DNA sequence: GATATCATGTAAGGGGTTACATGATTGT
DNA sequence: ACAATCATGTAACCCCTTACATGATATC
């Protein structure tokens, strides 16, 4: 899903500024979709040019004018068509797992700490999926439940199996280079 | 983890050609790390220039010369240093979940089919994690177990909760645009 | 006094994919 | 016949992030 479609989706829940769309991506959703200002603002500009959203400028004191975007009927039609199409496969990039594959080259304490950090990160993410977020509705609820289930399983696996990976090698770095 | 480090990691298990490195990324590992020829070949060139790997050309009949790469001691040192550094957070991009967030705009049958496709994809991935792969060792085994646990939890969640998301809206598209 | 929040936007750069170029052999 | 496998490499392109530019107000 490109950033334009995502913005249309957020705007289908109600009017928002670029800044507010970005804030959505700091909640639980950031765990499976992310974007920066550098892609959000240009996307909103293009959507406006295409007549898929409308822009209302609100003058503000001592701040840039707030630009509130709302989806147009044409935008909503296009959004629904886009959502109907088969979705691309999920893409995961895990430096953590890639490092684990090569973990024979690491010291046990490094691996152990890496896993501890990862468990902490998973717990933080699970807590985020638990919180109330701006966009409610059955879709967001389902997704948060999914996140909790999957990240919970990841944490559990790490806790139950970390002993299998830590301590497989006790060589020092200079010995390993041989 | 950049592609150069990944190539060094694969080569730490044994010599390989660019083609063979790419093949590794068609097994279970592709679910958390991917790269194309367009990034692998240039990476191997740079690693060779930097003296981190060595290239042996094997002439072949009716085919481009096979170029077998092997990691040098300097390369192994650099790899171990790179692996020791704190890893970046996992990055997930799920058009599937993003679409679910906006699923109020979809017909129940579309959602239902999307979930069915996703479950099938997860089952295929789980089977891949189950197979024997070229790179064995405790790291790869741990990672495959992780994949099975996490993807299994995802499949289970979808099976147990799909009824909560399907059928929340029975409006036709023209009604929804209103 | 420093950091966070609010609020928008641009430009350079990075990391990657896709498509192209080449071409025999083997399996369906 | 057609697709897949083997085998390498380049170049254009794309999308996105990072950093920059601007600046008041509120919080710690």
């Amino acid at each position: 899903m490109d950033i334009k479609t995502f913005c249309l989706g957020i705007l289908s829940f109600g009017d928002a500024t670029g800044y507010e769309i970005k804030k959505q991506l700091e909640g639980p959703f950031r765990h499976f979709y992310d974007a920066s200002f550098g892609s959000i603002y240009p996307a909103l500009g293009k959507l406006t040019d295409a007549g898929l959203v409308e822009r209302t400028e609100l003058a503000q004191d001592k701040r840039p004018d707030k630009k509130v975007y709302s989806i147009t009927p044409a935008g909503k039609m296009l959004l629904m068509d886009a959502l109907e199409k088969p979705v691309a496969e999920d893409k995961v990039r895990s430096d953590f797992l890639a490092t684990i594959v090569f973990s024979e080259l690491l010291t046990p304490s490094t691996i152990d700490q890496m896993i501890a950090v990862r468990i902490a990160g998973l717990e933080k993410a699970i807590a985020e999926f638990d919180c109330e977020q701006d966009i409610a509705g059955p879709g967001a609820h389902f997704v948060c439940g999914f996140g909790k289930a999957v990240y919970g399983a990841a944490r559990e696996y790490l806790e139950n199996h970390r002993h299998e990976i830590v301590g497989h090698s006790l060589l020092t770095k200079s010995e390993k280079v041989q």
Side-chain angles (χ1 to χ4, degrees), chain A residues 103-124:
Chain A
S103 62
E104 284 164 276
L105 297 169
L106 292 172
T107 61
S109 71
T110 303
I111 303 168
D112 200 50
Q113 208 204 315
M114 205 171 63
I115 291 177
V117 168
R118 194 80 205 94
I119 289 174
L122 288 167
E123 269 160 8
K124 206 182 137 204

Side-chain angles (χ1 to χ4, degrees), chain A residues 93-142:
Chain A
R93 174 62 160 262
S94 176
D95 283 14
F96 169 72
L97 292 176
T99 302
I100 294 283
V101 171
F102 308 130
S103 62
E104 284 164 276
L105 297 169
L106 292 172
T107 61
S109 71
T110 303
I111 303 168
D112 200 50
Q113 208 204 315
M114 205 171 63
I115 291 177
V117 168
R118 194 80 205 94
I119 289 174
L122 288 167
E123 269 160 8
K124 206 182 137 204
I126 291 165
E128 279 172 23
F129 280 124
D130 235 328
C131 77
E132 303 287 316
Q133 79 265 10
D134 295 345
I135 289 180
H141 183 256
F142 184 90

Side-chain angles (χ1 to χ4, degrees), chain A residues 3-4 7 34-44:
Chain A
I3 182 67
K4 285 194 278 183
C7 288
D34 206 2
S36 61
F37 286 128
S39 55
I40 292 169
Y41 285 126
L44 290 170

